Amino acid sequence: MSSTSSHNGPQSTPRHNRRGRDMLFLGGLFGLMLFGLIGLAAATGWDETKAQLAKLAPSHIIILLALSLVNYLLRGLRWHMFARRLGLSTTLPQNLRHFLGGFAMSVTPGRVGELIRMRWLRRETGWAIERTAPLVLMDRASDLTAIAIILGVSVSLTTTGITGALPVTLLAIALAVIATRPTLLASLVTYAYKSIGRMPRLFGRIRMAARSMKQFSGTAVMLPALGFGLVGWLAEGYAFHLLLGWLGADIGLAMAMAIFLFSTLAGGLTGAPGGVGGAEAAMVALLMTQGVPLEVALPATAIIRITTLWFAIGIGLAVFPFAERTSLRIQNALENR
């Protein structure tokens, strides 16, 4: 009994400390975003901003959150479809737990923290990370493809367009194409290894993961995956359109979609945690180019980011402890068989 206590004690403390640091980091980022937006609002007239916020009823916020939830659940179903296609025997509740719990790590640089999903899969299935890596690649590639398609169509339907939208859209499509072409991706990995000449085991694992992408080729997988992504991201773009309308700044559905998705992509391409800072700046600036006054652009940006990115993080934080405990319990059960 005493040996067990001494074994668990030292491990639980570092885990608790990491948890505290993660929460502090998340709180700091959230506070930084609010500080910047509130500072701008105060400089331009806090009373006008408060008047805009007063236009929103609790039911409006519920609708925005519901549309975001549609996005997350559809993408969770896509994750489940990819997992089963890869050959994993995980169930739908299990895959949703992994997918939603991973949102807790959305604000790590480049969102690499979401790779926690692969650790949970390794514990619960015994699959090595390089075997489940194609699942993450396909998930990212599917999101990039869906966002790029909606953004391209939205911009083409607007009368003024968005400066920089074309290169960002093309870059997103290019990254999606590379990530979903096993031969091309493996060739790029080989070229990178030859250029660097180091870490052969790491590059070997990446190349193995790239070749595993072949399992996802074919319309039977790609079409449903694209459909889930399109409907999910359209739901969040439509939420932004509704929000602008409620604030008296209806700029049209196509332009609202374009600004929301362009800002999301632009923020992500900066590599900043969750795109915080870059996405908000792009959104405010683009809204103002459409004639939306700053006292409306600021609360609109703050609210849509809270009901999308930070709502996802909130879901992730709620699911994460359960997912972590469950994965450890399953791992222990498998090891004790």
Side-chain angles (χ1 to χ4, degrees):
M1 180 68 71
S2 60
S3 61
T4 302
S5 300
S6 61
H7 177 71
N8 290 339
Q11 285 189 342
S12 60
T13 300
R15 188 180 300 121
H16 178 75
N17 290 338
R18 287 197 301 271
R19 177 79 170 169
R21 288 196 300 269
D22 291 341
M23 293 296 293
L24 186 62
F25 178 69
L26 286 172
L29 279 176
F30 184 69
L32 183 64
M33 182 197 77
L34 288 182
F35 179 78
L37 294 173
I38 291 173
L40 284 173
T44 56
W46 182 238
D47 290 337
E48 289 82 354
T49 302
K50 288 195 296 184
Q52 296 300 324
L53 291 172
K55 295 179 180 179
L56 297 176
S59 59
H60 292 151
I61 303 301
I62 292 173
I63 291 172
L64 297 179
L65 295 175
L67 288 169
S68 291
L69 191 59
V70 168
N71 183 22
Y72 308 146
L73 291 179
L74 286 176
R75 289 162 58 198
L77 288 174
R78 185 185 63 195
W79 177 272
H80 173 67
M81 182 184 71
F82 285 155
R84 299 309 298 264
R85 182 71 177 186
L86 193 61
L88 289 163
S89 59
T90 45
T91 63
L92 177 58
Q94 196 173 4
N95 287 320
L96 286 177
R97 183 177 71 239
H98 296 160
F99 183 76
L100 296 176
F103 280 147
M105 309 298 287
S106 293
V107 290
T108 51
R111 301 181 70 174
V112 295
E114 290 187 1
L115 298 181
I116 185 70
R117 296 164 178 153
M118 296 164 65
R119 188 176 77 180
W120 290 333
L121 284 169
R122 183 181 62 186
R123 289 174 178 171
E124 298 176 26
T125 66
W127 282 41
I129 288 178
E130 57 265 28
R131 292 184 68 189
T132 55
L135 182 58
V136 177
L137 286 173
M138 281 302 302
D139 182 65
R140 296 287 173 83
S142 298
D143 274 341
L144 282 173
T145 303
I147 292 174
I149 289 174
I150 300 171
L151 177 58
V153 172
S154 298
V155 171
S156 68
L157 294 176
T158 63
T159 55
T160 58
I162 295 178
T163 303
L166 180 59
V168 170
T169 301
L170 292 177
L171 178 59
I173 293 176
L175 291 173
V177 168
I178 292 172
T180 54
R181 295 296 183 274
T183 303
L184 175 59
L185 187 56
S187 299
L188 290 175
V189 172
T190 301
Y191 176 78
Y193 170 66
K194 290 180 178 179
S195 300
I196 298 174
R198 297 178 181 179
M199 300 179 290
R201 291 184 62 185
L202 175 61
F203 280 100
R205 290 180 175 182
I206 297 174
R207 188 162 47 242
M208 182 187 301
R211 290 170 178 166
S212 300
M213 299 290 290
K214 292 180 181 179
Q215 299 178 70
F216 298 103
S217 60
T219 56
V221 176
M222 297 306 297
L223 285 181
L226 182 60
F228 285 138
L230 288 173
V231 176
W233 286 106
L234 281 170
E236 285 199 348
Y238 182 64
F240 189 48
H241 167 66
L242 288 177
L243 174 60
L244 291 173
W246 293 331
L247 294 176
D250 189 354
I251 58 176
L253 177 60
M255 181 55 74
M257 289 270 189
I259 290 176
F260 174 76
L261 294 174
F262 176 83
S263 301
T264 300
L265 273 181
L269 291 175
T270 64
V276 174
E280 289 83 7
M283 196 171 292
V284 171
L286 289 172
L287 285 172
M288 292 182 67
T289 63
Q290 297 303 311
V292 178
L294 187 58
E295 61 267 22
V296 177
L298 287 174
T301 298
I303 291 167
I304 199 62
R305 290 291 279 172
I306 290 172
T307 56
T308 53
L309 171 67
W310 292 100
F311 178 47
I313 293 172
I315 293 175
L317 290 173
V319 176
F320 188 94
F322 174 67
E324 184 73 7
R325 288 195 303 269
T326 302
S327 69
L328 287 171
R329 186 178 71 248
I330 293 175
Q331 182 185 39
N332 291 334
L334 292 174
E335 291 175 350
N336 292 331
R337 281 184 178 178

